[in-house]
Amino acid sequence: MRTAPLGIFDSGVGGLTVVRAVQTLLPAEDIIYLGDTARLPYGSKSPETIRQFAHEDIRFLLDRGVKAVVVACNTVTAHALPSLQEQYRIPIIGVIEPGVVAVLSDPGTQRVGIIATRGTVGSHAYQHALAQRRTGLIIHATPAPLLVPLVEENWLDHPSTHAALHTYLDPMVDRGIDTLLLGCTHYPLLVPMLRNFLPPGIRIVDPALTCAELVKADLTREELLNPAESGGKLEIHLTDLSEQFEDLSRLFLARSPGRISRVVL
Ligand code: DGL
C-alpha cells in the first residue's frame, strides 16, 4: 500500500492549491486528483447534495486504488467528512482541522475573520472548532461566494474582485481582525491581492500547508508513507474540461499540470 497513490478531490480546480502543498512536502507521493468541475460550485448546494456528490467523488478515487484521501474542499469537509470517515476504512483528511490548527498556532490570535462559501459558513464547522479550542476568541465569519467565480475567471487583480473584497472584508477589518482565515481552497490565489488590500499586520491563513503536514503525519502513523524520496506523479481528472480549466490548473499548481483527462462519475 505504501506505493499506492494518494487521492485528492475538490469541487473544482481550487483543490490544486492543496495538491501543490502536498507535492512540496511529500514529493514521492503519486497523486490522483479529481475536480468535479461539471457540478461546481458546491458551496451554494444543500448539505444532502454535497454529501451525495462527496460519496461519488471518493468512490471514483477508491476505484483507482488510493491509500488515503484528502478532501481538498472546505464545503465537503464541513458537511460530509464524518459520513465519509464512517463509511470508508482508509484515512480521510479534510481541510477544516488544518485551518483551525493553523489559526491557533499563533497564541496571540484574538479576532479571527473567516471567509468561505455559504455552505461552509452556514455549517459553523470552523466557528465551533475554533471556539471549542480557545475561549474568548472573537470570530467573524462571512460567506464570500462571488470570490469563487472571480478566481475561476482569473480576475486576480481586477476592479470587480476589488469591489467584492471591499464588500466582504471591510466590516471585518473595521472590527479589528488580526487573522483572516481563507476557508475555501480557491481563495489562496487571491493572497497577493489580499496583501495589498488588507491593513498591515493581519495574518492570512491558508490551511493548505498545515493540511499537507497532517497528511504526512497520518501517512507516517499508518505506515503508508511512500519510501522513495522523489518522483511522485500527478494525474488530474476533471468532470468538465475546457481550455480555461487547463489554464487555471497551471495557475493553481504554479507549473504545467501535464495531461488532464475528462471523466464521467
Ligand atoms: N473549493 C470549494 C471550497 O473549498 C469552493 C468552491 C465551491 O463552491 O464549490 O469550499
Side-chain angles (χ1 to χ4, degrees):
M1 270 310 255
R2 281 173 178 270
T3 53
L6 187 61
I8 302 186
F9 77 93
D10 178 32
S11 57
V13 286
L16 290 172
T17 53
V18 176
V19 169
R20 191 168 141 188
V22 171
Q23 282 182 318
T24 307
L25 196 66
L26 300 170
E29 298 297 336
D30 288 333
I31 296 173
I32 300 184
Y33 181 83
L34 172 68
D36 192 7
T37 42
R39 300 190 290 194
L40 175 112
Y42 281 14
S44 49
K45 304 220 163 46
S46 68
E48 294 73 30
T49 302
I50 294 164
R51 274 193 287 275
Q52 178 206 321
F53 288 176
H55 280 273
E56 289 167 13
D57 296 338
I58 204 167
R59 264 182 238 125
F60 172 87
L61 295 171
L62 291 170
D63 286 348
R64 275 145 194 86
V66 297
K67 61 184 173 187
V69 170
V70 182
V71 181
C73 176
N74 289 267
T75 313
V76 172
T77 304
H79 288 290
L81 189 67
S83 114
L84 294 175
Q85 287 173 330
E86 244 166 58
Q87 188 156 343
Y88 306 102
R89 305 184 108 202
I90 59 167
I92 304 176
I93 301 123
V95 271
I96 289 188
E97 171 67 16
V100 170
V101 169
V103 167
L104 299 180
S105 67
D106 180 346
T109 301
Q110 288 177 333
R111 292 172 182 265
V112 184
I114 303 170
I115 47 172
T117 64
R118 214 176 281 293
T120 302
V121 172
S123 74
H124 292 94
Y126 271 118
Q127 297 94 311
H128 280 150
L130 285 167
Q132 258 176 7
R133 298 208 208 158
R134 189 172 297 169
T135 43
L137 208 58
I138 294 165
I139 303 166
H140 303 288
T142 303
L146 289 181
L147 297 183
V148 172
L150 288 165
V151 168
E152 296 265 331
E153 200 56 44
N154 200 0
W155 282 9
L156 305 180
D157 187 17
H158 189 281
S160 302
T161 313
H162 208 259
L165 289 182
H166 267 298
T167 307
Y168 294 139
L169 298 180
D170 283 357
M172 296 185 178
V173 172
D174 289 347
R175 288 180 182 149
I177 56 162
D178 51 46
T179 305
L180 178 66
L181 170 62
L182 307 182
C184 170
T185 48
H186 277 69
Y187 300 167
L189 283 193
L190 294 173
V191 167
M193 191 172 181
L194 283 166
R195 285 204 205 288
N196 288 328
F197 180 90
L198 292 170
I202 297 182
R203 182 167 66 110
I204 301 172
V205 172
D206 169 9
L209 288 179
T210 315
C211 180
E213 283 162 12
L214 291 192
V215 170
K216 185 174 181 183
D218 268 25
L219 293 183
T220 307
R221 196 180 46 243
E222 302 288 331
E223 299 185 352
L224 286 173
L225 210 56
N226 192 313
E229 295 203 336
S230 61
K233 291 183 288 296
L234 171 64
E235 248 180 55
I236 301 180
H237 303 275
L238 302 179
T239 53
D240 182 46
L241 191 51
S242 66
E243 214 172 282
Q244 181 211 358
F245 284 135
E246 294 198 35
D247 292 347
L248 275 173
S249 300
R250 186 168 300 110
L251 213 61
F252 277 101
L253 278 175
R255 63 172 148 120
S256 166
R259 200 177 77 83
I260 304 178
S261 56
R262 180 177 168 272
V263 290
V264 178
L265 296 181

